Amino acid sequence: MAIIELGESIPALTPHASSVSLPTWSDNIGYEEGQARVISKMTTGYPRFFIHKAIVAFAEDVAQKIGKPGCQAMLFPSTKTAQSCVSFMHSRDSSITAGQIQRIDLVLDKQRADSEMLKKVSPSISAVIFPTPLFPLAKQYWQHSGDGVSSRRAEFCHGLFLDSLLVEKTALQPVSNGFQKACKGPRRYQRGSVDKTPSKMNKDGQESPKVSDQPATVPLQEARESTQFLEERFGRNLDVSFVDNAKSAIRRRIAGSLMGEVDLSTAPSSKMSSNMRGVVELSEDDVYLYPCGMNSIFHTHRMMLEARGSLKSISFGFPYVDTLKILEKFGPGCIFYGNGSSEDLDDLEKRLKGGERFLTLICEFPGNPMLKCPDLQRIRKMADKYDFSVIVDETIGNFINVHVLPYADVVVSSLTKIFSGECNVMGGSAIFNPQGRYYQALKKVADVEFEDNYWAEDVIFMERNSRHFVSRIERINENAELICDILRGHPLVKEVFYPKHNSSKACYDACRTPKGGYGGLLSFTFYTTAQAIAFYDRIETAKGPSLGTNFTLTSPYVILAHFLELDWAARFGVPADLIRISVGLEDAEELKSTFSDALKAAEAVSLEDS
């Protein structure tokens, strides 16, 4: 395949892609170091780390119209999520005064938006406006929590804002004749003008503020014309009446009761007949959808704190970076067992026998990037004996390959990955185990605390993408084993990390489904860093962050995820020159040829050094 240019979206020409091309090893280092030659070419980036340009453009207009000079805005889907960001910022910096941070709620002016579609979708945005020096703190919350607004939502709502159809909630005051005065907006909305590419971006996707146009009154008739255009644009992606059915279809697929396609124009049956999760009495009402995978972890952790009280958590195994940050920064903290070994469980059991008590143990199955699997059977027994909950992230394993719900109180997953496969939409899920000890307590909390912030367009894309995820996973399982065998048989490859061959294989097999494979993710190392660089620079696959794509995606994962803490990662056996492969659906012979060519590049380096 042709290599995608540095900084372009993966897939190419995809406005809401969830990966970005970093085609050489030095490009990855340059991105982490903030080198101008790399950053200047970044048209997009991995969501949560890089704020999408459509979100940046909208945030700029909000800050310029509503905020004070020298301020920036961070956008959220609801009042509650925005207020949570404000509270986090105050909790992390006691010098911030009450007047420095402003929260603004933008809602649809239903008096002027005479579209039933718009009224049904009821678009809204809440902005947190703060002095520019506080941006890094606000960005922490955005990245860790996953609460930030989605790019599709921002793009759509930006058009409404520019047309003065999305206005400050406080401005919607009733008047005696039942009508409101025309609102003012920053400029007349022009078709196609929402996608305002910032001229210069930094690593976070931000740019320095620009001077906006002067406000202008938008006549009601023009507003109606714009509403019609927005409705037509919106309607290309969905029929609003289908959104609820699409959410139901997604939840049922996650619950393991719906495979394949479904007619969204027909209401689903009132009850699920069965499921593939290995747990009885599981309902689609036990599945909660979130805007992204990290958001499902964030809110599950918060609900567990609310249900069980303020106790420390346990991070077991080498985790995805923001999972650990959530446990450390939101709540009373955690203890970290980065190796996820039987010796770590021995130590934990010693603590428990000594009287220590914990909120929850959270782990990945298998872990990223070393593909180790925790002993869920032993963990479950310990949890039952010593009264702590278990949260399992099954993103990499997925329930077609493994059944982890019987051992967990909650199973979380990033739907952005293999469930979608297309790398063009975000999503996350959490499943409450109806047989779990804390089920009733969690459901009571969820009844009060859960907010459905999954944007309608994202829902429709996710439902479409996930219709054939079972057959995709089966094909990817086969391809991954093929690549694994090629790498294991090559003399320059030092070690391959894959659930089938790791020392924790027995733990994986204890949860493997009868027809399950070992997944589509693997990592490996060469004997020298020079060999790793030569292989990465040569391989003709997509190269960037993320995993679980329908196409093979290669990444020097540790460089991207732990660049500022490489020595810390190495202490847990995670080397800096590790290469991670997310295997796709390509033809087997094509994959063989692609990897053979890249391995020859590594061989050439070895000959030069000999």
Side-chain angles (χ1 to χ4, degrees):
M1 65 171 286
I3 298 298
I4 300 172
E5 291 294 319
L6 168 63
E8 293 298 317
S9 67
I10 299 177
L13 305 176
T14 302
H16 301 281
S18 54
S19 188
V20 63
S21 183
L22 296 167
T24 69
W25 195 278
S26 63
D27 290 338
N28 286 269
I29 292 175
Y31 169 75
E32 289 298 325
E33 291 181 343
Q35 294 176 12
R37 73 161 189 91
V38 176
I39 302 305
S40 64
K41 294 183 179 180
M42 301 289 287
T43 63
T44 188
Y46 187 70
R48 290 191 306 103
F49 291 81
F50 183 101
I51 301 177
H52 192 280
K53 62 183 181 180
I55 301 173
V56 171
F58 189 7
E60 283 180 353
D61 280 348
V62 169
Q64 289 164 8
K65 180 181 179 182
I66 301 173
K68 299 174 183 177
C71 282
Q72 286 183 255
M74 194 75 78
L75 305 183
F76 296 90
S78 69
T79 300
K80 191 173 184 179
T81 52
Q83 188 57 47
S84 182
C85 176
V86 173
S87 299
F88 173 79
M89 294 174 73
H90 280 294
S91 72
R92 305 298 292 185
D93 186 346
S94 59
S95 69
I96 299 174
T97 62
Q100 280 185 287
I101 304 178
Q102 183 183 12
R103 194 200 77 228
I104 298 295
D105 299 318
L106 301 172
V107 298
L108 185 68
D109 184 348
K110 294 182 180 180
Q111 293 282 353
R112 302 180 68 243
D114 56 354
S115 159
E116 290 305 313
M117 180 276 290
L118 283 175
K119 291 177 182 177
K120 182 175 175 63
V121 173
S122 193
S124 63
I125 293 286
S126 290
V128 176
I129 302 174
F130 48 82
T132 294
L134 294 180
F135 173 78
L137 191 56
K139 178 65 165 40
Q140 280 187 43
Y141 183 83
W142 173 283
Q143 178 179 320
H144 299 332
S145 71
D147 263 345
V149 69
S150 85
S151 55
R152 283 189 180 89
R153 185 184 194 123
E155 185 178 65
F156 184 74
C157 291
H158 192 187
L160 296 177
F161 180 75
L162 292 176
D163 262 348
S164 298
L165 297 177
L166 199 69
V167 299
E168 289 186 59
K169 189 175 183 179
T170 54
L172 294 180
Q173 301 297 333
V175 293
S176 58
N177 62 2
F179 293 94
Q180 295 169 244
K181 295 180 180 178
C183 301
K184 293 185 178 181
R187 62 179 65 85
R188 174 73 177 93
Y189 175 58
Q190 301 296 327
R191 300 187 185 192
S193 71
V194 172
D195 189 14
K196 303 194 310 175
T197 305
S199 54
K200 292 184 179 180
M201 291 184 175
N202 64 21
K203 185 177 167 185
D204 297 313
Q206 295 291 298
E207 65 165 339
S208 57
K210 296 180 290 190
V211 178
S212 65
D213 297 342
Q214 291 299 313
T217 300
V218 181
L220 186 58
Q221 181 59 38
E222 289 189 5
R224 285 176 175 166
E225 290 172 2
S226 297
T227 300
Q228 180 181 359
F229 173 70
L230 286 166
E231 183 170 334
E232 289 170 356
R233 180 258 177 199
F234 202 65
R236 286 205 302 268
N237 290 331
L238 65 105
D239 181 328
V240 173
S241 64
F242 293 169
V243 171
D244 290 340
N245 289 352
K247 287 179 181 177
S248 177
I250 293 170
R251 286 195 296 265
R252 292 187 181 212
R253 284 192 189 116
I254 294 165
S257 71
L258 173 65
M259 303 296 157
E261 300 197 23
V262 63
D263 183 359
L264 293 183
S265 65
T266 304
S269 58
S270 58
K271 268 194 168 186
M272 293 185 349
S273 56
S274 61
N275 74 82
M276 295 173 57
R277 286 286 186 170
V279 171
V280 298
E281 298 181 1
L282 180 66
S283 160
E284 76 168 276
D285 292 334
D286 297 324
V287 181
Y288 296 84
L289 300 181
Y290 292 92
C292 68
M294 193 51 56
N295 198 235
S296 69
I297 294 173
F298 177 74
H299 285 286
T300 296
H301 173 61
R302 286 198 148 185
M303 283 193 277
M304 197 66 77
L305 282 168
E306 186 68 25
R308 300 204 57 229
S310 185
L311 295 167
K312 282 189 176 182
S313 297
I314 305 156
S315 178
F316 194 79
F318 195 81
Y320 183 66
V321 56
D322 286 308
T323 301
L324 183 58
K325 299 301 182 186
I326 286 170
L327 299 183
E328 290 174 339
K329 295 183 179 182
F330 299 88
C334 72
I335 60 170
F336 176 49
Y337 289 109
N339 293 309
S341 63
S342 58
E343 290 79 12
D344 284 343
L345 285 180
D346 291 341
D347 184 79
L348 174 60
E349 193 161 29
K350 183 179 178 181
R351 287 172 177 258
L352 293 164
K353 285 180 178 178
E356 291 188 54
R357 290 296 175 262
F358 298 97
L359 175 74
T360 192
L361 180 148
I362 186 166
C363 61
E364 299 173 5
F365 194 95
N368 178 19
M370 307 307 289
L371 286 305
K372 290 181 180 179
C373 294
D375 187 345
L376 288 184
Q377 292 178 314
R378 184 179 174 190
I379 289 170
R380 181 72 263 166
K381 290 177 181 177
M382 292 170 62
D384 290 340
K385 183 175 181 179
Y386 295 105
D387 190 24
F388 61 85
S389 63
V390 178
I391 301 171
V392 179
D393 184 342
E394 68 166 13
T395 300
I396 296 172
N398 75 72
F399 73 91
I400 302 302
N401 291 327
V402 291
H403 280 169
V404 297
L405 186 59
Y407 304 101
D409 294 282
V410 184
V411 170
V412 294
S413 184
S414 173
L415 307 180
T416 310
K417 310 304 192 297
I418 190 63
F419 189 79
S420 166
E422 292 287 350
C423 202
N424 65 358
V425 66
M426 305 283 284
S429 66
I431 310 173
F432 292 178
N433 185 345
Q435 304 303 314
R437 176 185 295 187
Y438 314 106
Y439 175 75
Q440 293 298 335
L442 283 171
K443 291 293 281 188
K444 286 181 180 177
V445 172
D447 287 344
V448 176
E449 296 296 330
F450 175 73
E451 270 192 334
D452 183 358
N453 287 321
Y454 205 8
W455 179 239
E457 283 180 289
D458 293 325
V459 169
I460 293 298
F461 273 88
M462 183 62 72
E463 192 283 320
R464 287 176 183 169
N465 293 353
S466 63
R467 290 176 184 178
H468 304 290
F469 80 102
V470 176
S471 59
R472 287 191 285 107
I473 287 167
E474 291 169 349
R475 171 79 173 272
I476 285 171
N477 285 341
E478 294 174 2
N479 280 348
E481 290 206 32
L482 171 71
I483 298 306
C484 193
D485 290 343
I486 291 172
L487 294 172
R488 280 167 54 85
H490 197 280
L492 294 186
V493 175
K494 182 179 181 181
E495 198 166 4
V496 177
F497 305 98
Y498 189 60
K500 184 177 182 179
H501 303 293
N502 284 354
S503 60
S504 60
K505 178 178 183 290
C507 296
Y508 187 97
D509 286 342
C511 298
R512 188 156 66 100
T513 61
K515 296 183 179 180
Y518 290 91
L521 194 70
L522 60 94
S523 298
F524 68 101
T525 55
F526 287 95
Y527 281 96
T528 71
T529 300
Q531 293 165 351
I533 293 172
F535 175 92
Y536 182 83
D537 289 354
R538 178 66 181 86
I539 192 162
E540 292 189 359
T541 67
K543 290 184 272 191
S546 199
L547 58 91
T549 48
N550 291 339
F551 47 86
T552 298
L553 186 61
T554 305
S555 172
Y557 173 78
V558 185
I559 295 294
L560 280 179
H562 301 286
F563 188 71
L564 298 178
E565 51 188 16
L566 294 176
D567 291 341
W568 172 83
R571 293 208 305 269
F572 298 100
V574 183
D577 57 2
L578 177 129
I579 295 175
R580 191 187 71 180
I581 309 288
S582 177
V583 183
L585 296 168
E586 295 92 344
D587 176 76
E589 292 303 316
E590 179 187 342
L591 284 173
K592 285 181 184 179
S593 175
T594 298
F595 276 78
S596 175
D597 289 347
L599 287 166
K600 286 176 183 176
E603 293 167 8
V605 169
S606 299
L607 290 173
E608 291 171 4
D609 293 342
S610 61

